[in-house]
Amino acid sequence: MSLNPTAFKTIDPSRCITFKIPNPLLHLRHFNASQLRIAVVDSPVPSEPIQIAAMLVPIDRETDWYFSTEQGHFQLLLAFPQFSRLIVIGNSPNSTNPTSYNTLLRTDVMADSSVVEEKLMPLLIQLTPKSAFPQTGGGLPEIPFLSYEDDVVRSLVVDTCVGPFVGDILIEDVELELENGDTEFRRRLRFKRTPNLVQTQIKIRPKKVDFVDMEEVEFEIVDDGVLVHPYLTPMVAGLSVIRYFLDSQLGNGIKPKALCLGVGGGALLGFLSSQLGFQVLGIEADNVVLQVARKYFGLEHSNLIQFCVGDALEMIGKFATQVESDGFRGYALENGEHLDGFHGKFDVIMVDLDSSDATIGMIAPPIKFVQKSALLAIRTLLSKDGVVIINVIPPDQSSYKLVITEFQEVFAELYQIDVEKEENFVLIASASEIGHVSSHHQSKFLKKLKQVSGSFVDSIRMI
């Protein structure tokens, strides 16, 4: 089917058109494919006035889901809300594209950006909607080239698979550059449906020091009691809201019970059990994800860590019904099995779930988890001193305010942690009134929590 150039003359919200053209940059060392792949992405909510921008795909990352999928393109655009259209340009991926990425081996220097922009400008003008041109005086619109930078020094695709619920799954080992200039190796889990969202990451280390390509070396998991996933640390910090209760439980030899909705690679489950003394139950919608967690991320089933497959929303509804029943004797699964050791309510419920649609803006949690029916079921499952801790990535402030309103109508108190440089918030909702939380009370649990969650404990505020 031929491409109709007039299709680009107007903004069509949430549209993404991808096509290939003969490469006008072949004389440049970096752009050596015979064709360029072009993606024209229109914002779900176009800005006023209409502005467009272009972005070059980093060399050797053409097959990364972030740059090669419609979901990834929308996430790139949503990171720049002032633009109504983003034009993504890169070498056309092919079967010979590498599964690894290594900036350390790149000795050539990127061609002068002015040369690239000059060669591509006629194409960009053709892809510019009429409304973006100056209304008076003629001339051409300004089309900035946005740059993409991250902390990945090198990466290697370890495995890919497909889950019946989450779809395409990627396991990758990466070397990241830290803020202090050091580097660190991590294993990461990603889903194609939300390509820019790392589901889980854990520390790994090479079994030999001197190597150039990551394919040359084996890696082993580092269990140093440190959470490296950005939003898991503030989620754990939220436990300080009920530290007096947890101090009492642990002091009496009682292991607090935690329910984790969403398992991923299992980093949170393992941390709560090994570092904080919790008994943990995880619910994961996709059995393949659990298989990946066992094989690549060290998740193990034990008396203290159990997990099961099921839709989290459906299961908390069923569990809530069982709790309210006079004949409640523990949590029963559909196959007739009972979850050993989980015979009472939970002291903390952690909600770590993302939306399956990356184009709607709110990535975490799914909208259905902030509806009143779901929140009421969650509260039913909480002990009277318990809390629910949820990671929220809202598309805008108005959506976030609606989430807050829903929580305040169901729970006694609500607290918030602003996750600094990230785009998410952590909400902590309590089943009963706790009152002012002073971070200066150095209980044993709080002392341990501060060691692993740092300043996030001190940044909790009541809403």
Side-chain angles (χ1 to χ4, degrees):
M1 182 178 67
S2 61
L3 192 66
N4 183 3
T6 62
F8 302 107
K9 296 307 178 183
T10 58
I11 296 290
D12 188 354
S14 298
R15 179 182 63 180
C16 179
I17 299 178
T18 302
F19 59 94
K20 297 177 182 179
I21 62 170
N23 188 357
L25 306 173
L26 270 175
H27 65 289
L28 302 177
R29 293 181 61 185
H30 292 277
F31 295 94
N32 52 10
S34 61
Q35 293 182 312
L36 292 183
R37 182 181 185 274
I38 314 295
V40 181
V41 195
D42 287 347
S43 172
V45 185
S47 59
E48 290 291 344
I50 298 297
Q51 300 180 71
I52 74 167
M55 179 180 290
L56 298 176
V57 176
I59 304 302
D60 290 341
R61 297 185 70 173
E62 293 87 355
T63 57
D64 191 306
W65 289 340
Y66 203 23
F67 303 105
S68 63
T69 65
E70 184 173 310
Q71 301 98 316
H73 295 149
F74 274 109
Q75 290 305 304
L76 288 170
L77 175 57
L78 292 172
F80 302 93
Q82 69 271 34
F83 294 107
S84 300
R85 172 173 291 174
L86 179 64
I87 303 171
V88 183
I89 306 167
N91 287 324
S92 180
N94 56 61
S95 58
T96 63
N97 281 96
T99 57
S100 61
Y101 171 72
N102 193 342
T103 60
L104 300 177
L105 296 180
R106 299 200 62 82
T107 57
D108 47 359
V109 180
M110 182 65 179
D112 181 26
S113 60
S114 62
V115 176
V116 175
E117 294 179 20
E118 180 182 355
K119 289 288 185 180
L120 294 176
M121 191 54 64
L123 169 67
L124 299 182
I125 293 300
Q126 291 296 316
L127 299 176
T128 299
K130 292 181 178 179
S131 54
F133 283 82
Q135 299 301 307
T136 59
L140 298 175
E142 181 181 354
I143 306 176
F145 274 76
L146 307 178
S147 62
Y148 177 85
E149 296 181 0
D150 61 13
D151 50 6
V152 177
V153 176
R154 49 187 169 180
S155 67
L156 173 68
V157 175
V158 176
D159 197 3
T160 59
C161 53
V162 180
F165 181 79
V166 303
D168 292 287
I169 299 170
L170 172 71
I171 303 97
E172 61 183 353
D173 289 345
V174 298
E175 182 180 11
L176 303 179
E177 183 176 5
L178 306 180
E179 291 184 358
N180 62 5
D182 295 336
T183 63
E184 182 174 276
F185 291 96
R186 296 180 186 176
R187 179 160 295 159
R188 307 198 302 192
L189 173 67
R190 292 164 57 199
F191 299 157
K192 187 176 184 178
R193 68 184 190 184
T194 50
N196 72 319
L197 182 64
V198 177
Q199 301 291 330
T200 294
Q201 55 182 322
I202 59 173
K203 286 184 182 181
I204 55 175
R205 60 175 166 239
K207 291 186 177 180
K208 69 175 184 178
V209 177
D210 297 325
F211 65 94
V212 177
D213 293 323
M214 295 181 70
E215 297 96 326
E216 301 174 357
V217 64
E218 289 186 51
F219 288 87
E220 59 186 1
I221 296 173
V222 177
D223 186 13
D224 61 357
V226 176
L227 287 170
V228 295
H229 207 50
Y231 64 83
L232 291 185
T233 304
M235 287 186 74
V236 168
L239 293 170
S240 67
V241 170
I242 56 169
R243 60 181 175 272
Y244 303 121
F245 167 70
L246 296 176
D247 263 331
S248 175
Q249 293 286 92
L250 292 167
N252 290 322
I254 302 172
K255 288 187 176 294
K257 289 188 286 292
L259 174 63
C260 294
L261 304 182
V263 174
L268 180 59
L269 279 68
F271 183 87
L272 290 173
S273 175
S274 65
Q275 300 299 316
L276 299 180
F278 277 76
Q279 183 182 12
V280 189
L281 170 63
I283 298 177
E284 173 57 53
D286 200 312
N287 186 53
V288 175
V289 174
L290 291 179
Q291 293 173 9
V292 168
R294 294 188 192 99
K295 183 176 181 179
Y296 294 107
F297 293 87
L299 180 64
E300 295 182 355
H301 200 285
S302 68
N303 291 333
L304 298 180
I305 300 179
Q306 297 183 49
F307 37 85
C308 57
V309 178
D311 179 274
L313 186 61
E314 291 181 4
M315 294 193 74
I316 62 173
K318 292 176 181 178
F319 286 175
T321 300
Q322 293 176 39
V323 166
E324 293 174 328
S325 170
D326 292 336
F328 173 69
R329 296 187 180 88
Y331 298 102
L333 302 179
E334 289 184 350
N335 58 11
E337 294 181 1
H338 274 70
L339 297 169
D340 297 334
F342 291 95
H343 301 296
K345 294 188 176 185
F346 294 94
D347 302 308
V348 59
I349 297 177
M350 298 271 195
V351 183
D352 180 17
L353 299 165
D354 64 86
S355 169
S356 60
D357 185 358
T359 67
I360 64 173
M362 178 180 286
I363 297 178
I367 298 296
K368 60 185 179 181
F369 269 89
V370 292
Q371 295 175 349
K372 184 164 294 184
S373 58
L375 297 181
L376 288 171
I378 288 173
R379 177 161 180 171
T380 298
L381 293 177
L382 283 176
S383 65
K384 70 178 183 65
D385 297 301
V387 291
V388 54
I389 302 176
I390 185 168
N391 181 49
V392 181
I393 308 177
D396 49 51
Q397 280 298 313
S398 61
S399 299
Y400 184 54
K401 289 178 181 178
L402 289 175
V403 173
I404 290 174
T405 299
E406 292 291 341
F407 269 89
Q408 288 177 328
E409 290 181 359
V410 174
F411 293 91
E413 292 181 347
L414 187 62
Y415 301 81
Q416 171 188 284
I417 304 176
D418 189 346
V419 188
E420 295 182 344
K421 297 179 181 179
E422 302 298 322
E423 299 176 348
N424 60 310
F425 301 87
V426 169
L427 292 179
I428 306 112
S430 62
S432 57
E433 292 186 3
I434 299 171
H436 177 68
V437 178
S438 171
S439 60
H440 300 295
H441 178 78
Q442 292 296 324
S443 67
K444 290 183 178 179
F445 185 80
L446 181 63
K447 185 176 181 180
K448 175 66 175 178
L449 207 57
K450 282 198 167 187
Q451 291 175 351
V452 298
S453 59
S455 61
F456 285 119
V457 170
D458 299 318
S459 66
I460 299 174
R461 65 179 183 86
M462 183 184 291
I463 301 177

